[in-house]
Amino acid sequence: IGSFHKFDRMISFSKAIVSKEFVSADLTTRYDAFIVGSDQVWNPDFDMNSELDYLPFIDRGRKVAYAASFGVSDICEDREKTAQLLRGFKSISVREDAGAEIVYKLTGQRIAVVLDPTMLVSVDEWSRLSTKPDVTGVDTPYLLKYVLGNDVHKMEIESIAQNQGLQVIDLGGNDLPVGPSEFLWLIEHAKVVCIDSFHGSVFSLLFHRPFVIFERQSANADMSSRFDTLCRVFDMGHHRFCSPEFDYERCLDEDWGAFERRLAAERERSLGWLSRALEEVGG
């Protein structure tokens, strides 16, 4: 918790309060525009999510969704209500192809698929925010394991570590002193990263780290759509362990120049969409 609070001090938070029972009286007059996004903010399977994530108390003309993520491939319940909430936005972009298809099915709108906000920030800026953690093993070559779902690929990951002569630093289920800054450092300095985490994949890409994606195994809905789009945009299908394209040797010898060219083009396109959307706010 302390590590997260340290990172929070680098973020400017509004003092406004929004809950099911109360919305600060001056919220709607304090800001010119409101942006909703991004990571699974509209996932219907998350107990923490609600209609508040669509900002129903904000006028449509001042409300934009940037890289919003459903985290699932389809909306099976409350479809008409979700459609109504989506129509309450001036402009919508999403993070995944599946999300764009959901919005089209519910509203008839064809919308843009844009980069996750973390990929709009330069790797140098992320590196400046990183902090070396007080964790055993970080001073020797290591494989970073970050598995949030069921650990069904434990043997495969241990085999990768053994073949590369690496020890495993496992962030899953361990009470380690690791917050966002330490998480960044661990990815930046890992020899190999094994994850079922979307942002673990994103930061592996940004820091040019060899990484292997393991599909999330859990009782929740299929969340592979996040990886589908990421791998399509950056031609990274060979990093998915369960894919016929999987090629471990290629993972170790990635063409990072090609990735950076794609990233520059996607940043320009995504920032262009956001700039145009904000220009239209209030218009």
Side-chain angles (χ1 to χ4, degrees):
I1 298 298
S3 297
F4 279 82
H5 286 166
K6 288 179 183 178
F7 192 83
D8 283 349
R9 287 200 287 269
M10 295 183 278
I11 303 172
S12 296
F13 288 99
S14 169
K15 290 183 170 57
I17 296 174
V18 175
S19 70
K20 292 180 180 179
E21 295 78 24
F22 178 80
V23 176
S24 292
D26 64 341
L27 176 65
T28 59
T29 58
R30 188 182 297 182
Y31 304 101
D32 297 320
F34 296 80
I35 303 177
V36 172
S38 66
D39 190 32
Q40 302 196 65
V41 68
W42 291 339
N43 190 323
D45 297 324
F46 282 7
D47 292 337
M48 68 186 78
N49 289 1
S50 73
E51 289 184 14
L52 293 177
D53 298 300
Y54 293 87
L55 305 185
F57 43 84
I58 302 298
D59 294 338
R60 180 180 183 276
R62 292 190 293 154
K63 193 165 54 173
V64 170
Y66 176 81
S69 171
F70 293 92
V72 296
S73 298
D74 200 5
I75 301 294
C76 300
E77 298 179 3
D78 299 323
R79 291 173 61 85
E80 185 51 45
K81 182 62 176 180
T82 302
Q84 178 184 344
L85 291 167
L86 289 169
R87 293 189 188 100
F89 283 83
K90 179 78 171 179
S91 301
I92 298 176
S93 64
V94 292
R95 194 179 67 182
E96 290 100 25
D97 296 333
E101 189 62 21
I102 288 172
V103 175
Y104 176 69
K105 288 179 179 178
L106 294 179
T107 70
Q109 298 180 60
R110 289 294 186 188
I111 61 172
V113 178
V114 295
L115 285 181
D116 185 86
T118 55
M119 302 194 83
L120 301 180
V121 180
S122 73
V123 70
D124 291 337
E125 182 64 21
W126 286 122
S127 187
R128 282 193 290 272
L129 293 174
S130 71
T131 301
K132 184 178 181 180
D134 183 17
V135 173
T136 301
V138 297
D139 293 319
T140 57
Y142 63 88
L143 177 153
L144 181 66
K145 176 181 175 182
Y146 186 50
V147 174
L148 297 173
N150 297 329
D151 193 8
V152 298
H153 294 289
K154 180 178 181 179
M155 297 296 293
E156 289 90 343
I157 294 173
E158 289 179 352
S159 177
I160 292 172
Q162 290 173 5
N163 289 338
Q164 297 295 315
L166 306 172
Q167 71 165 326
V168 176
I169 294 181
D170 186 356
L171 292 184
N174 291 324
D175 188 19
L176 297 176
V178 173
S181 294
E182 293 79 11
F183 178 72
L184 291 170
W185 193 97
L186 286 168
I187 290 182
E188 182 180 7
H189 294 87
K191 295 298 182 184
V192 179
V193 181
C194 290
I195 69 279
D196 66 357
S197 154
F198 175 81
H199 284 105
S201 302
V202 164
F203 287 112
S204 295
L205 285 169
L206 293 177
F207 285 120
H208 295 182
R209 295 292 85 204
F211 69 103
V212 179
I213 298 171
F214 294 87
E215 306 301 323
R216 180 79 58 83
Q217 301 290 323
S218 69
N220 294 325
D222 179 13
M223 294 191 288
S224 62
S225 63
R226 303 174 301 160
F227 295 123
D228 293 341
T229 303
L230 186 70
C231 291
R232 174 188 63 77
V233 171
F234 295 106
D235 189 23
M236 293 289 165
H238 53 285
H239 287 266
R240 298 179 80 162
F241 184 79
C242 296
S243 168
E245 297 179 59
F246 179 65
D247 186 339
Y248 184 63
E249 294 304 318
R250 189 178 168 193
C251 292
L252 296 176
D253 189 26
E254 187 60 66
D255 183 353
W256 293 114
F259 163 71
E260 287 296 337
R261 288 189 291 274
R262 288 191 180 93
L263 178 60
E266 288 298 315
R267 275 179 176 159
E268 181 178 5
R269 185 180 63 84
S270 298
L271 287 170
W273 184 93
L274 182 58
S275 178
R276 290 189 296 272
L278 290 176
E279 286 174 359
E280 293 173 2
V281 166

